């Protein structure tokens, strides 16, 4: 069983990533969930993480992290995720404990206490993870891989060149991408192909309790996605979990990727040096293609499995 830590900013797609990981108890052991200000304020995304974990009646330690980026101030993604950061379903009061309000220390403790290596799933801005690697460099040798949703080699979404998670905190992303730890990057190149259709969303709403809640999340997210030109919905963050569960769903390539932090048009760009003579280390496995039907089936089956546990 693979031990993982999920650093997130729920977020509709973050929630679906957590649900899918939780459904795969035999393959993934979730050591903890940590939150980071991103899609909404830290307070709101932490509340959303509580709502999901409470909804699942889970017993997974939750820690809140940094409220905003290392250098600049936070801008949220309320247009995509709503006022709460996870608009759609009505959740009951989330009576879920916070194990710590210092995610960086919490992550260090979880990693160092684990007998083997740990995988970090980073599906929000990379502030917590950058601080972890800077403050506790001894954790690096105990991290086998960081599975990131973020970036995009070919294009962005926050700007024409930069994807949201990287654009929020490019300085943190620069630290993480240059830390010498294997990175799998599910950027927009692949995540915008990882779609759930309107028909699939409608079908979820007729199933069990967990599928119905996911269907309501997805209905809101699908509607908000229209403003960006999406008919079906890209479930970005789920790619970072799906790759761990079924890597052969994806095709990708090792590339030499760096993060542009300079002010200007390219700030937050994950830049791949593709020159044939480039002698930089190919530090990132960049996912490029996904089998859409199998990806959607993974989500739908995970939700059914959780329905069945009720
Ligand atoms: C990423 O930004 C957030 O809005 C999503 O949760 C995802 O992590 C997509 O650009
Ligand atoms: Ca996210």
């Amino acid at each position: 069983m693979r031990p993982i830590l999920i650093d997130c900013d729920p977020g509709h797609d973050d929630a679906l990533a957590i649900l899918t990981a939780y459904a795969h108890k035999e393959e993934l052991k979730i050591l903890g969930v940590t939150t980071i200000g991103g899609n909404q304020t830290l307070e709101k995304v932490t509340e959303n993480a509580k709502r999901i974990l409470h909804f699942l009646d889970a017993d997974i330690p939750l820690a809140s992290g940094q409220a905003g980026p290392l250098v600049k101030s936070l801008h949220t993604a309320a247009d995509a995720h709503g006022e709460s950061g996870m608009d759609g379903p009505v959740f009951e009061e989330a009576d879920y404990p916070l194990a710590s309000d210092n995610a960086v220390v919490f992550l260090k403790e979880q990693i160092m206490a684990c007998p083997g290596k740990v995988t970090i799933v980073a599906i929000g801005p990379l502030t917590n993870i950058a601080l972890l690697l800077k403050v506790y460099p001894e954790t690096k040798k105990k991290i086998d891989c960081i599975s990131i949703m973020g970036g995009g080699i070919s294009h962005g979404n926050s700007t024409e060149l930069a994807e949201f998670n990287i654009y929020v905190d490019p300085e943190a992303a620069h630290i993480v991408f240059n830390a010498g730890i294997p990175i799998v990057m599910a950027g927009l190149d692949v995540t915008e192909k990882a779609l759930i259709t309107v028909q699939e969303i409608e079908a979820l709403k007729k199933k069990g309790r967990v599928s119905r809640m996911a269907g309501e999340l997805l209905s809101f997210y699908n509607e908000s996605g229209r403003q960006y030109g999406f008919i079906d919905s890209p479930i970005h963050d789920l790619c970072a979990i799906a790759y761990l569960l079924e890597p052969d769903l994806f095709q990708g390539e090792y590339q030499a990727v760096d993060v542009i932090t300079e002010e200007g048009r390219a700030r937050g760009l994950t830049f791949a040096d593709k020159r044939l003579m480039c002698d930089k280390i190919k530090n990132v496995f960049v996912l490029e293609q996904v089998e859409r039907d199998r990806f959607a089936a993974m989500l739908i089956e995970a939700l059914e499995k959780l329905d069945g546990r009720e």
Side-chain angles (χ1 to χ4, degrees):
M1 204 183 341
R2 185 174 195 150
I4 65 168
L5 285 157
I6 303 178
D7 187 63
C8 59
D9 59 341
H12 296 75
D13 51 340
D14 301 77
L16 296 167
I18 294 170
L19 290 168
T20 303
Y22 188 70
H24 285 267
K25 276 187 169 166
E26 304 75 25
E27 291 110 305
L28 300 177
K29 178 166 175 46
I30 308 175
L31 300 177
V33 171
T34 53
T35 55
I36 176 71
N39 283 325
Q40 260 298 357
T41 61
L42 179 68
E43 198 185 333
K44 289 184 180 180
V45 299
T46 304
E47 185 57 33
N48 293 340
K50 286 183 179 180
R51 286 176 174 154
I52 289 295
L53 294 172
H54 174 79
F55 183 88
L56 289 170
D57 198 19
D59 184 17
I60 296 170
L62 171 68
S64 62
Q66 296 297 303
L70 293 180
V71 179
K72 302 239 168 161
S73 45
L74 176 67
H75 61 269
T76 62
D79 288 355
H81 298 276
E83 247 337 286
S84 72
M86 215 170 68
D87 279 9
V90 178
F91 291 94
E92 64 179 47
E93 182 90 11
D95 178 19
Y96 199 87
L98 200 59
S100 162
D101 62 1
N102 190 334
V104 177
V105 171
F106 172 85
L107 286 165
K108 187 265 286 185
E109 285 171 353
Q110 292 293 326
I111 291 167
M112 299 315 282
C114 185
K117 290 195 176 188
V118 176
T119 298
I120 292 183
V121 179
I123 54 180
L126 289 163
T127 323
N128 288 336
I129 309 305
L131 285 170
L132 170 75
L133 302 178
K134 275 286 175 196
V135 180
Y136 302 111
E138 67 272 25
T139 56
K140 287 188 192 176
K141 56 181 185 310
K142 293 222 53 209
I143 300 170
D144 66 352
C145 157
I146 309 181
S147 183
I148 290 175
M149 188 286 132
I153 303 301
S154 60
H155 65 288
N157 57 6
S158 278
T159 72
E160 61 193 334
L161 296 174
E163 181 277 333
F164 177 79
N165 288 340
I166 306 297
Y167 188 65
V168 168
D169 197 344
E171 284 77 15
H174 187 268
I175 291 169
V176 173
F177 276 71
N178 288 285
I181 298 169
I183 288 177
V184 177
M185 173 180 141
L188 299 174
D189 316 284
V190 70
T191 66
E192 289 186 351
K193 298 171 188 148
L195 298 163
I196 300 296
T197 67
V198 176
Q199 293 74 17
E200 286 163 343
I201 294 171
E202 286 309 309
L204 285 174
K205 292 200 255 173
K206 300 188 183 87
K207 296 190 181 177
R209 189 180 79 104
V210 183
S211 294
R212 285 203 305 276
M213 184 275 284
E216 285 167 24
L217 278 175
L218 281 163
S219 277
F220 178 92
Y221 182 66
N222 180 269
E223 199 62 44
S224 75
R226 302 290 165 118
Q227 66 190 301
Y228 311 111
F230 291 107
I231 305 293
D232 299 323
S233 296
I235 315 300
H236 307 282
D237 290 343
L238 180 54
C239 292
I241 290 288
Y243 178 78
L244 301 181
L245 290 167
E246 284 184 50
D248 71 345
L249 279 181
F250 297 91
Q251 281 172 34
E253 169 180 24
Y254 283 97
Q255 300 195 30
V257 180
D258 207 345
V259 179
I260 308 291
T261 56
E262 287 80 11
E263 289 302 334
R265 196 172 179 184
R267 180 167 162 83
L269 165 68
T270 44
F271 173 75
D273 189 341
K274 295 191 177 188
R275 291 174 297 175
L276 292 178
M277 39 73 80
C278 167
D279 59 1
K280 293 175 199 151
I281 294 168
K282 293 194 170 166
N283 55 336
V284 177
F285 189 61
V286 179
L287 304 184
E288 291 161 348
Q289 301 294 335
V290 60
E291 285 187 45
R292 204 284 332 164
D293 291 355
R294 280 179 63 201
F295 174 82
M298 177 189 278
L299 173 62
I300 293 163
E301 283 162 21
L303 296 169
E304 276 171 3
K305 208 163 160 185
L306 294 172
D307 288 338
R309 279 191 204 158
E310 300 271 303

